[in-house]
Amino acid sequence: MNWYREISPTEKRTLWGCFAGWALDAIDAQLFSLVIPTLIATWGIAKGQAGLIGAVTLVGGALGGLLAGVLSDRVGRVRALQITVIWFSLFTFLCAFAQNYEQLLVLKALQGLGFGGEWTAGSVLLAETMRARHRGKAMGIVQSAWGFGWGAAVLLYTVVFSYVSPEWAWRVLFAIGVIPAGLVLYLRRGIVEPPREARAAGGPTLGPAQQAGTLSILAGIFHPSVLRQTVVGGLIGLGAHGGYHAVTTWLPTYLKTERHLSVLGTGGYLSVVIVSFIIGCFLSAWLQDRIGRRWNVIFFALASAITVNLYALLPISDTAMLFLSFPLGLFSAGIPATMGALFNELYPQGVRGTGVGFCYNFGRIVSAVFPFLVGHMGNSMPLGTALGIDAGIAYGLVVVAALFLPRPQTQVAPTATPQRV
């Protein structure tokens, strides 16, 4: 932790402010998956209807990420982060008062806008505040906050459902979601907007015509000087999200229905996945500042593809699956923990937020094709084979795209030192 003693108080406050925001974001996001059985029983809705709520939340999150990127380029990083935190806290709280399925569907879609926007705004803020030689470590630590938030959501769910009847417990959980709004008070007092010169550095410089106006900012990420970054970054986001969503969507079904394994429903399995995800973020945080963003992404993509295929193709028992869930969670965390630093270092100040928002959220939207392909291919071949092929294609796309990453010409922050991509 010598690096932590080197960074300034401003860097530390920004690090932990973004960490808290992402952890609280994760709590709000994970609570819905935990209360799905209760909603089905209480309101008598179908599983497909519950799945639609999850889907519109993800789509809203992707759109929110894109909008927050543009907003951060227009009004500043801290203000954009404040707006997104207040937004997702407010609509999470309002979910507690939904009287029917239709109301909850709309409220979750609106919540998703803030949920997706918080990562984009916080990622750009932290990248511009943190010095380059420690930027990867800081980004990886913030990404690990998702695992801590996930674990906290499980604990909250356990406590609330132990003392409150189910028909009210889910409302209590959503009402607790207003707590992150208090983080805005800290953001307003403890975190400062990076100076303009910090945002003006990094990557090729766009002219004033490309930096003025919202539409110009959107068009700016396709300007010839950064077009390669946008294409390559978008493909990395697509492959990373595609592999992740294919695995999380179909692996439990495959192991339960075709392998007839029961450990998936145990707390032990969930604990291993959460802990391994957190460790994977820390490993990626340390590694990417040593070997560079490019090779870190390639390593974790290859490791993820291999691990998924071991799951899908090898004879496996409950015990073996429990042990393999550790490297699966660990390697799957490595790419998301790298994307924050990687995407930020590809763009200049004028379009950095927009570029980061696009690369990350373009992948989230289009990656829906990968889970669909697994199901479609599973009609004509074993589901495990389809999953292995699909994950191999998705993570292979990450590897190929990473090989075409350009090297940054200058740095994001004025305190930065040369950083390998």
Side-chain angles (χ1 to χ4, degrees):
M1 292 294 289
N2 288 334
W3 72 271
Y4 186 76
R5 288 191 286 269
E6 290 180 14
I7 62 178
S8 68
T10 297
E11 289 172 305
K12 291 176 181 176
R13 285 194 297 268
T14 305
L15 169 64
W16 294 117
C18 293
F19 181 96
W22 192 229
L24 293 168
D25 213 0
I27 293 175
D28 286 356
Q30 294 295 332
L31 285 178
F32 175 71
S33 64
L34 294 172
V35 303
I36 285 177
T38 302
L39 291 174
I40 291 175
T42 302
W43 282 351
I45 62 176
K47 293 179 181 178
Q49 290 177 295
L52 181 60
I53 294 179
V56 299
T57 304
L58 289 175
V59 172
L63 295 175
L66 291 170
L67 293 172
V70 176
L71 185 66
S72 71
D73 285 334
R74 294 286 292 167
V75 304
R77 317 314 190 193
V78 175
R79 186 174 298 175
L81 184 58
Q82 293 169 355
I83 292 171
T84 57
V85 171
I86 290 176
W87 185 280
F88 82 72
S89 300
L90 172 63
F91 283 100
T92 301
F93 178 73
L94 292 177
C95 286
F97 301 94
Q99 298 301 303
N100 52 49
Y101 170 78
E102 290 75 17
Q103 290 181 11
L104 185 61
L105 181 69
V106 172
L107 290 170
K108 285 291 291 178
L110 292 171
Q111 179 212 39
L113 291 174
F115 159 72
E118 194 275 340
W119 184 91
T120 300
S123 170
V124 179
L125 170 64
L126 184 60
E128 293 180 344
T129 303
M130 190 66 57
R131 62 195 72 187
R133 66 178 177 272
H134 300 318
R135 188 177 299 126
K137 290 184 281 290
M139 289 290 190
I141 288 173
V142 168
Q143 188 66 37
S144 75
W146 184 267
F148 287 102
W150 188 1
V154 174
L155 290 176
L156 277 173
Y157 170 83
T158 302
V159 171
V160 172
F161 271 77
S162 296
Y163 294 98
V164 182
S165 61
E167 61 269 20
W168 286 100
W170 70 271
R171 296 184 183 274
V172 172
L173 286 174
F174 280 132
I176 292 173
V178 76
I179 292 176
L183 178 64
V184 172
L185 299 176
Y186 175 79
L187 292 174
R188 289 179 62 87
R189 297 182 59 186
I191 299 179
V192 297
E193 181 73 16
R196 182 167 180 79
E197 59 266 28
R199 295 204 307 269
T205 302
L206 300 185
Q210 286 77 41
Q211 295 190 25
T214 300
L215 292 178
S216 295
I217 290 175
L218 284 169
I221 63 173
F222 297 101
H223 187 265
S225 60
V226 291
L227 180 59
R228 178 180 173 183
Q229 287 92 313
T230 299
V231 172
V232 172
L235 291 176
I236 290 176
L238 172 59
H241 286 293
Y244 178 82
H245 289 306
V247 171
T248 55
T249 300
W250 287 107
L251 186 61
T253 300
Y254 164 70
L255 293 174
K256 185 174 183 179
T257 60
E258 295 196 10
R259 293 294 183 89
H260 307 292
L261 302 181
S262 59
V263 72
L264 274 172
T266 68
Y269 174 83
L270 189 59
S271 299
V272 169
V273 171
I274 293 174
V275 171
S276 63
F277 179 89
I278 294 172
I279 294 175
C281 289
F282 281 113
L283 175 61
S284 179
W286 174 81
L287 197 59
Q288 65 181 284
D289 279 336
R290 288 183 170 268
I291 66 176
R293 321 301 187 213
R294 181 201 313 271
W295 296 111
N296 195 63
V297 165
I298 290 174
F299 166 73
F300 279 101
L302 291 173
S304 295
I306 292 171
T307 307
V308 172
N309 276 278
L310 288 176
Y311 249 99
L313 302 177
L314 291 181
I316 191 171
S317 64
D318 264 22
T319 302
M321 192 276 287
L322 186 62
F323 279 107
L324 267 180
S325 64
F326 184 87
L328 185 68
L330 185 144
F331 293 133
S332 68
I335 302 176
T338 312
M339 288 195 292
L342 171 61
F343 293 159
N344 272 282
E345 291 171 350
L346 293 177
Y347 290 96
Q349 178 269 332
V351 293
R352 181 171 294 130
T354 307
V356 171
F358 175 84
C359 291
Y360 191 82
N361 293 287
F362 167 80
R364 293 175 74 179
I365 295 173
V366 184
S367 66
V369 70
F370 285 94
F372 169 77
L373 283 176
V374 174
H376 180 72
M377 294 164 62
N379 292 327
S380 57
M381 64 177 67
L383 185 59
T385 303
L387 179 59
I389 293 174
D390 202 59
I393 293 173
Y395 289 120
L397 179 61
V398 173
V399 172
V400 173
L403 293 174
F404 288 90
L405 279 170
R407 291 181 178 274
Q409 296 178 9
T410 53
Q411 299 304 309
V412 173
T415 54
T417 55
Q419 176 63 48
R420 290 172 292 174
V421 171

